[in-house]
Amino acid sequence: MIRLDTILEQIRTYAPDADLSVVRKAWVFASKYHAGQRRKTGEPYFAHPLEVANILAGLRMDTDTIAVAILHDTVEDTPATLDEIAETFSPDIAKMVDGVTKLAKLDFRNPDEHQAENFRKLVFAMARDIRVILVKLADRLHNMRTLEAMRDDKRVRIAQETMDLYAPIASRLGIVTIMGELEDLCFKYLRPQAYEDLQAQVAARAPYFDKYIEQVNERLSRSLAPHMPEATVSGRVKRLWSIWQKMQSKHLTFDEVHDLIAFRIVVDNISECYGALGLVHGLWAPLSERFKDYVAQPKANGYQSLHTTVLGPEGQRIEVQIRTRGMHSFGEIGIAAHWKYKEGRLALKKEEIEKYTKIRQLLQWAEDIEDSREFLDVLKVDLYADQVYVYTPRGDVRWFPAGATPLDFAYAIHTEVGHHCTGARVNGRMVRLNYKLRSGDTLEISTRPDQHPNNDWLTSARTSRALSKIRQYLRKEERVRAIELGRSVLDQELRRHKSSLKAILKADGLRAALEANGKRHTDEILAEIGYGRLSLDKILPLYVDADLLEKAKAKAEAEEEPANALSTITDLFRKISRRAGSPVKINGMDGMLTTFSKCCRPLPGDQVMGFITRGRGITVHRSDCRQALVLPRERRVDVEWDAETKIPHAAQISIVTVDRPMMLADLSKTIGKMNVNITRAEARTTGEERGHITLEVAVNDTNQLRNVMRGIERLQGVISVERQAPQ
C-alpha cells in the first residue's frame, strides 16, 4: 500500500509551499472510517483512495483535490456523513466528495437508469467544479487497473461504461495519459482475444521497434542540436487500442499498419516549433495530407502541437509531434495543467480561464434535459464527435461536433434564435438548415417570427444542446395537442351519456377524477387521455350513472361498434393482450403486441426501451439507438425481456476478411455447426483484396450471437467481426 509520505513528497516537487495539513487530516479521517475494510483483491480498502490521491498528485493537483481523493469513498462506503466532512474540512471539500459519491440505489426502474442518473449527478458537480471529474477519472483508472478481481460479467460492464463515458471525457479534457491507459485497459476486457493477439505481435517486434526508435532519436537530436540545443526528442510505439482502431477502420492486418511509431520533439518556443518542422521535412519526405497545425488552430480542449507524418528510415511512415514545453504539459495532463499554486493555494491563471470556460460549456446544457437516460445518450454525442471550428460575424470562434449544422450554431447563440432559425449565410451564401459546418466557416443566422421547430429538425441538429431544446419545444407542443385531444374525447363521451365536460368542470372541476388518479391539475387528466395512457373507463363511472353506462355498452355491442368513438391505446392493449408469445414484458405484463425496430435490431440480453405506436402496439428499440431518441418521451414505456419465451431474432453481422476462395462457404459451415440459421447474406470485394460480408442470422439472444461471432473470428482470413451498431 502506498504511503502518505510518498504522496506528500510528490506534492512538494511541484508546490513547495503548499499547505499539506488538509491532506494529512484527510488521511487520519479516512483511515479511521475504512479500518477493517478490504477490496475484492484482498488488499486493505484504504489502499484504493491513496492510489487515487497518488494519481492526482501525478497530475499536479491542489491539496484540496488530493484530500477529496482520500475521502471520496467515505460517505458511500462508511458511516461518515457529508455534514461531518464539511465541519471537519470545508463546505467546498464536502461538495466535491458529494459530487463523486454515487446515488443510493432507491427508486430506479432499472440499472441503466441508475447508471445514467449517477453520471448526470457527476456532470452537474463537474459543471460547478471541474476538479470533481478529475477525482472520478483517477478513481476509475485505479479501479480499471485492479479489475481482474471482479466477476467476468462485471468486468465487461465496467469496461464498457469506461469506454463509453470516462475515456471520452478524459479525451475532451485533454488528459491523454489517463485516456490512453483507460482505453487500453477497456480493450483488454472487452476484446480479450484481440488484445492478447495484438499484444503478442507488438511484443514480438519490440527489439526491432527499440532499435528503430534509437536510430531515429539519434538522427533527430543530431539535426536539432546546432539550432535548438535545449530540444528533447522521444519515441514510442503507439498504444494497442490506437493500433487496433486503425486496423478496424482501414481493414488492415497488423503487418499492414505502417505508422506504428510516433516521435515527439519538445522545444522552447513557437518559432522553434516551425523551425523544427522544417528540419524534419529536410530529413525525410513529408506526406502533405497528413500535416496538422494545431498550434495556429488549437483543438477545442486547448491542445496545441504540430503533427506531421514523414517517410522515415527504411521507408517506414512515422508521425512526429512538435510542441513547446508548455504545450507538452497541457498535451499530457490537459485541463489539470491550467492550475498553478500561489501562496500555497490553487489559482487559475487569467489567460487559462477562457479555455476552462470552453470545457464547462460542454456540460452546462445538461440542466435542460429532464430524462436521465436521454441525458446520457445525448452526452455521448458530444463526447465522441470530432470537432470543427466556425466564426461568428464578429470573428469569435465557436467549436461544434463534426456534422453540426446551422441549427446547432443558432441554438448555441440563444434558444429563441434557434427556435426561429430559417437558414444561415455561410461565407456570404445562403445554405439550408442541414448544411454540414466546415472548419473556417463564417456564419450569420437568418430568423423569422413564424418559424418553429418540427420533427425534421431532430435529424438535422447534432449538438446535445440543440437536440434537447428542440425536443423540449416539441414535447410542449405535443402536450398542448394532447390536452386538446383529451378534452375533445372526454367531452364527446360525456355528451353520449347526457352530460358535458363544461358541466362537470363547473360542478366539481374534475376533482373526483383527479383524486382517483393521483393528479393535481385538470390538464394532467386531459393530457393522459390525449396521450392514450388513461382509459375513459376510469373517468366515466365517476360522473355517469352506472345504468346509463351499461345500456350504452349493450347498445354498442348490439351494433358491433366500440363503446368509445376514439378507442384509447389502453383499450387496444386490452384487445391484443390475449396474444401470447411476445418475448418482452411491458410494465410487468406479458402477451402484448410488440414489433422490433429494424434500425437497431434488439436481441434478448440487450438493454431495451419501448415506444407506444398506434395500431402496432409497442415498438422495441435498443437503449442506445439514436433513432429512438427522436421519438416523444411521453410515449416511452419500460420493457424487459421475458426469460421464459424463446423465439429467434434477426441480427446483422459485418465481417471483413481477406479475399480468398471458399470464405463464404467456410462461414456458412461454421455457423451451421452452431445450429444457427443464416437468413440473408451479402458479399463484395474491394481493390485492396478485402472481402466485406454482411450476414443476417436468426439467434435467440446476445449470448448466442457472441458465440457465433467468436466462431467466425477463429476462421483463417477473418480480419474483424462486428455486430452492426444501432443507427
Side-chain angles (χ1 to χ4, degrees):
M1 184 165 68
I2 196 167
R3 298 172 64 246
L4 175 64
D5 288 344
T6 303
I7 298 171
L8 297 178
E9 189 57 39
Q10 189 170 3
I11 297 171
R12 291 190 187 99
T13 62
Y14 60 87
D17 60 343
D19 179 8
L20 302 177
S21 61
V22 67
V23 180
R24 292 192 182 97
K25 190 189 295 185
W27 186 92
V28 172
F29 185 95
S31 63
K32 179 183 74 172
Y33 276 104
H34 285 301
Q37 294 181 337
R38 294 203 167 265
R39 303 190 80 213
K40 296 282 187 183
T41 58
E43 64 182 344
Y45 190 92
F46 192 43
H48 168 65
L50 290 180
E51 290 287 353
V52 175
N54 193 51
I55 292 170
L56 290 168
L59 293 178
R60 305 168 67 89
M61 289 307 299
D62 65 301
T63 50
D64 279 3
T65 305
I66 293 170
V68 170
I70 296 174
L71 299 167
H72 79 273
D73 275 338
T74 53
V75 173
E76 186 176 339
D77 296 326
T78 80
T81 66
L82 287 172
D83 288 341
E84 191 175 357
I85 290 175
E87 184 177 344
T88 306
F89 297 92
S90 71
D92 285 344
I93 286 179
K95 286 177 183 176
M96 281 198 282
V97 171
D98 183 43
V100 182
T101 301
K102 293 178 183 176
L103 296 168
K105 295 184 180 180
L106 300 173
D107 300 325
F108 291 108
R109 291 172 287 182
N110 54 55
D112 270 0
E113 185 176 359
H114 188 220
Q115 178 215 42
E117 195 57 36
N118 273 323
F119 205 80
R120 180 184 174 91
K121 177 190 176 187
L122 176 65
V123 169
F124 280 141
M126 177 181 171
R128 292 191 298 268
D129 192 330
I130 204 79
R131 292 175 294 176
V132 169
I133 196 61
L134 298 179
V135 176
K136 191 62 182 179
L137 287 173
D139 171 51
R140 180 52 61 106
L141 177 58
H142 185 250
N143 282 333
M144 288 297 299
R145 287 174 178 174
T146 56
L147 199 58
E148 196 67 45
M150 295 290 185
R151 298 191 317 267
D152 286 351
D153 61 324
K154 199 165 185 180
R155 285 202 296 260
V156 171
R157 180 182 62 77
I158 293 172
Q160 191 64 60
E161 179 185 73
T162 302
M163 186 68 89
D164 289 346
L165 298 172
Y166 293 99
I169 284 244
S171 174
R172 278 290 174 261
L173 298 180
I175 311 175
V176 175
T177 52
I178 288 182
M179 177 202 72
E181 188 175 352
L182 285 177
E183 288 178 339
D184 277 358
L185 288 168
C186 292
F187 182 25
K188 175 181 177 181
Y189 293 108
L190 293 175
R191 291 186 169 276
Q193 190 60 55
Y195 177 87
E196 289 178 14
D197 291 346
L198 187 56
Q199 187 180 48
Q201 290 174 302
V202 171
R205 295 187 63 184
Y208 169 77
F209 290 145
D210 291 343
K211 184 177 179 181
Y212 191 91
I213 289 171
E214 183 180 357
Q215 176 188 353
V216 173
N217 278 351
E218 191 277 332
R219 188 153 182 202
L220 282 172
S221 298
R222 191 169 65 245
S223 177
L224 292 165
H227 311 282
M228 305 163 206
E230 300 301 318
T232 61
V233 181
S234 61
R236 62 175 177 83
V237 179
K238 292 184 177 180
R239 288 189 173 272
L240 294 180
W241 176 246
S242 176
I243 297 171
W244 172 255
Q245 279 188 305
K246 181 152 195 174
M247 290 169 60
Q248 298 306 296
S249 63
K250 303 290 185 181
H251 306 305
L252 303 173
T253 64
F254 176 73
D255 291 332
E256 293 171 327
V257 181
H258 297 301
D259 52 347
L260 294 169
I261 303 175
F263 293 85
R264 184 172 294 137
I265 299 172
V266 180
V267 296
D268 286 337
N269 53 59
I270 291 178
S271 63
E272 288 187 351
C273 286
Y274 291 98
L277 178 68
L279 290 170
V280 171
H281 287 177
L283 289 174
W284 302 296
L287 302 174
S288 58
E289 72 277 8
R290 302 289 296 275
F291 173 70
K292 299 289 185 182
D293 187 347
Y294 295 119
V295 173
Q297 189 58 64
K299 290 186 177 182
N301 62 8
Y303 173 87
Q304 290 182 287
S305 188
L306 298 177
H307 289 198
T308 186
T309 300
V310 297
L311 289 175
E314 304 174 24
Q316 291 276 15
R317 288 187 178 190
I318 57 175
E319 180 183 296
V320 182
Q321 300 173 358
I322 307 169
R323 58 182 67 159
T324 67
R325 302 187 197 287
M327 293 174 192
H328 179 62
S329 175
F330 181 80
E332 293 296 294
I333 62 175
I335 187 70
H338 287 340
W339 287 290
K340 302 294 180 185
Y341 274 89
K342 185 177 181 181
E343 298 175 0
R345 301 296 296 172
L346 185 73
L348 189 63
K349 297 195 302 183
K350 280 186 177 181
E351 60 269 29
E352 302 294 353
I353 290 176
E354 184 179 350
K355 294 178 183 177
Y356 173 62
T357 302
K358 285 181 183 177
I359 294 169
R360 288 187 62 184
Q361 285 174 352
L362 175 66
L363 313 167
Q364 289 174 336
W365 55 263
E367 297 179 5
D368 298 329
I369 301 178
E370 298 175 1
D371 184 87
S372 56
R373 286 181 292 183
E374 179 186 326
F375 161 79
L376 197 60
D377 289 332
V378 294
L379 174 64
K380 292 176 184 178
V381 173
D382 283 353
L383 291 180
Y384 289 135
D386 292 329
Q387 301 280 298
V388 296
Y389 66 91
V390 298
Y391 296 98
T392 69
R394 295 182 179 180
D396 298 328
V397 178
R398 296 287 183 104
W399 287 90
F400 294 94
T405 65
L407 273 177
D408 300 298
F409 184 89
Y411 277 104
I413 295 172
H414 194 277
T415 300
E416 289 303 311
V417 174
H419 282 347
H420 302 294
C421 175
T422 58
R425 191 175 295 276
V426 176
N427 305 325
R429 65 182 183 87
M430 289 300 298
V431 298
R432 296 183 177 181
L433 292 179
N434 60 359
Y435 168 83
K436 299 293 189 294
L437 302 181
R438 301 172 184 173
S439 287
D441 282 346
T442 298
L443 271 74
E444 185 175 358
I445 296 297
S446 302
T447 61
R448 200 173 61 220
D450 60 348
Q451 174 78 313
H452 300 290
N454 58 62
N455 277 310
D456 290 341
W457 285 22
L458 292 170
T459 62
S460 297
R462 173 71 170 160
T463 60
S464 46
R465 176 179 174 82
L467 288 169
S468 66
K469 294 295 184 183
I470 295 167
R471 288 194 188 101
Q472 281 181 7
Y473 182 91
L474 295 178
R475 286 171 188 153
K476 183 177 178 181
E477 290 297 299
E478 182 166 327
R479 179 175 169 80
V480 170
R481 290 194 296 270
I483 290 171
E484 290 305 312
L485 177 59
R487 186 187 304 275
S488 174
V489 170
L490 181 56
D491 187 55
Q492 181 177 333
E493 288 305 304
L494 287 169
R495 289 182 183 279
R496 286 163 57 89
H497 300 293
K498 313 303 182 187
S499 183
S500 71
L501 180 59
K502 182 178 180 181
I504 290 174
L505 289 174
K506 186 176 181 180
D508 83 337
L510 280 180
R511 186 179 302 109
L514 293 171
E515 292 175 355
N517 291 279
K519 305 297 182 183
R520 293 186 177 182
H521 304 292
T522 302
D523 283 352
E524 291 182 57
I525 290 287
L526 299 177
E528 290 290 284
I529 295 171
Y531 284 130
R533 294 196 290 247
L534 181 60
S535 170
L536 293 179
D537 292 348
K538 294 184 178 181
I539 304 295
L540 294 178
L542 300 173
Y543 299 102
V544 179
D545 183 84
D547 290 338
L548 287 177
L549 284 175
E550 193 61 35
K551 289 178 182 179
K553 183 178 179 181
K555 181 180 179 183
E557 289 175 351
E559 296 174 355
E560 297 184 346
E561 293 180 353
N564 293 342
L566 297 173
S567 69
T568 65
I569 292 177
T570 304
D571 299 325
L572 173 64
F573 283 173
R574 186 183 300 112
K575 293 174 184 176
I576 63 180
S577 63
R578 302 186 188 94
R579 303 185 186 184
S582 174
V584 295
K585 295 181 178 181
I586 295 108
N587 290 327
M589 299 173 61
D590 57 11
M592 295 295 188
L593 176 63
T594 53
T595 57
F596 293 89
S597 171
K598 292 182 179 179
C599 60
C600 59
R601 298 179 182 272
L603 296 176
D606 288 328
Q607 296 294 334
V608 289
M609 53 186 172
F611 287 88
I612 299 171
T613 57
R614 288 188 172 88
R616 290 186 295 139
I618 299 292
T619 300
V620 180
H621 292 259
R622 283 166 61 177
S623 294
D624 55 353
C625 176
R626 286 195 64 191
Q627 288 197 21
L629 294 177
V630 307
L631 300 172
R633 184 168 59 90
E634 289 78 6
R635 297 196 179 276
R636 183 183 296 178
V637 293
D638 287 331
V639 298
E640 61 182 5
W641 296 104
D642 185 352
E644 297 179 0
T645 303
K646 298 289 185 183
I647 62 173
H649 293 259
Q652 285 193 343
I653 306 172
S654 178
I655 308 165
V656 178
T657 72
V658 297
D659 185 13
R660 69 166 176 84
M662 301 300 292
M663 175 57 79
L664 193 56
D666 288 347
L667 282 170
S668 300
K669 184 177 179 181
T670 298
I671 296 172
K673 287 180 179 179
M674 300 179 185
N675 294 319
V676 172
N677 187 36
I678 298 176
T679 56
R680 187 170 63 86
E682 293 180 2
R684 61 184 176 86
T685 59
T686 69
E688 300 174 346
E689 296 185 348
R690 292 285 180 270
H692 294 257
I693 301 170
T694 301
L695 297 180
E696 184 176 278
V697 294
V699 293
N700 291 329
D701 52 34
T702 53
N703 285 333
Q704 189 175 28
L705 179 63
R706 278 194 290 268
N707 290 335
V708 170
M709 293 171 66
R710 289 192 191 104
I712 295 172
E713 283 178 336
R714 288 193 287 267
L715 282 176
Q716 179 184 359
V718 171
I719 297 171
S720 68
V721 184
E722 299 282 348
R723 178 183 177 186
Q724 287 201 343
Q727 300 175 359

